[in-house]
């Protein structure tokens, strides 16, 4: 993850992070693949003390606001684990079209794998104050609306917008 100009400065502060699927493949249109992402985040929350302040899982990328003792390591583990599980699932389902795209976009320096699920880099942005936190939360929650997937952010199942109004949500969040 060091191949980007964006850096993690302080492990104790919240970060706005975006992880995008290579080739903008709509992998998260599959509920099973979304479950891989959700369950991995739940593990990090429960076992690694990852604080999740806001999230949205779109069809081809994820936005998170997170904090932990070691955000780069936790998110690196998240991306590595989910990538392996997603590839395993796609191989079982014989989803050759997706696998071929992930092979095509695999970075040349990644000699230890056949496929690449996530684009390189996270573009972490440290949250400096409450105003910035609210701006990023609004950006996250309005992402499905801006993308034309729903008319109301509360209708997107995979978003913390639902947490903010006490509707059932797929992940728990903590209050900033």
């Amino acid at each position: 993850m060091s191949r980007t100009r964006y850096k993690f400065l302080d492990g104790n502060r919240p970060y706005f992070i975006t992880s995008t699927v290579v080739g903008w493949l709509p992998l998260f249109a599959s509920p099973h693949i979304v479950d891989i992402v959700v369950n991995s985040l739940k593990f990090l929350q429960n076992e690694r003390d990852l604080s999740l302040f806001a999230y949205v899982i779109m069809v081809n990328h994820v936005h998170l606001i997170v904090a932990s003792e070691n955000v780069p390591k936790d998110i690196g583990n998240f991306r590595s684990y989910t990538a392996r599980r997603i590839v395993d699932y796609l191989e079982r389902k014989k989803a050759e079209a997706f696998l071929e795209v992930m092979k095509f976009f695999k970075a040349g320096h990644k000699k230890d794998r056949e496929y690449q699920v996530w684009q390189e880099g996270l573009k972490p942005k440290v949250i400096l104050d409450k105003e910035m936190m609210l701006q990023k939360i609004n950006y996250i929650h309005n992402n499905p609306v801006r993308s034309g997937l729903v008319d109301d952010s509360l209708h997107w199942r995979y978003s913390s917008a639902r947490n903010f109004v006490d509707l059932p949500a797929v992940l728990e969040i903590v209050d900033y």
Side-chain angles (χ1 to χ4, degrees):
M1 280 187 273
S2 63
R3 297 179 187 276
T4 178
R5 69 175 195 251
Y6 297 91
K7 303 290 180 203
F8 289 94
L9 304 172
D10 180 357
N12 294 322
R13 295 185 66 59
Y15 282 89
F16 172 79
I17 294 172
T18 300
S19 283
T20 304
V21 176
V22 295
W24 290 84
L25 287 171
L27 291 180
F28 308 134
S30 162
H32 183 82
I33 294 177
V34 172
D35 284 346
I36 293 169
V37 170
V38 167
N39 290 333
S40 181
L41 288 169
K42 284 180 181 178
F43 174 83
L44 288 171
Q45 288 177 296
N46 295 328
E47 302 299 325
R48 300 289 189 259
D49 292 326
L50 181 85
S51 296
L52 182 63
F53 298 98
Y55 66 91
V56 66
I57 303 169
M58 301 294 289
V59 296
N60 53 23
H61 66 284
V62 176
H63 292 298
L64 306 170
I65 299 177
V66 295
S68 75
E69 287 294 317
N70 194 339
V71 174
K73 181 179 179 191
D74 289 336
I75 297 302
N77 288 340
F78 162 77
R79 287 167 49 110
S80 177
Y81 176 80
T82 56
R84 179 73 260 150
R85 294 283 315 276
I86 289 167
V87 168
D88 290 346
Y89 174 76
L90 294 173
E91 287 177 333
R92 278 195 314 276
K93 292 297 182 182
K94 300 188 183 342
E96 297 302 324
F98 282 129
L99 291 168
E100 284 302 315
V101 172
M102 292 185 326
K103 185 183 286 188
F104 176 80
F105 281 103
K106 182 182 76 82
H109 68 276
K110 294 189 181 274
K111 306 285 187 202
D112 62 337
R113 67 200 72 180
E114 188 173 0
Y115 307 106
Q116 183 171 336
V117 173
W118 299 104
Q119 287 181 13
E120 291 203 12
L122 298 170
K123 299 181 181 173
K125 295 179 183 152
V126 66
I127 303 294
L128 300 171
D129 53 35
K130 189 171 185 170
E131 181 182 338
M132 185 177 184
M133 176 67 91
L134 292 173
Q135 185 270 331
K136 294 300 183 190
I137 289 171
N138 286 331
Y139 176 84
I140 285 172
H141 292 169
N142 286 308
N143 210 250
V145 176
R146 280 190 312 278
S147 297
L149 298 169
V150 292
D151 291 329
D152 185 327
S153 61
L154 298 178
H155 296 160
W156 191 251
R157 182 170 190 238
Y158 303 113
S159 169
S160 57
R162 301 174 61 80
N163 299 74
F164 280 76
V165 294
D166 294 326
L167 287 174
V170 297
L171 288 164
E172 298 296 318
I173 60 168
V174 295
D175 192 10
Y176 181 67

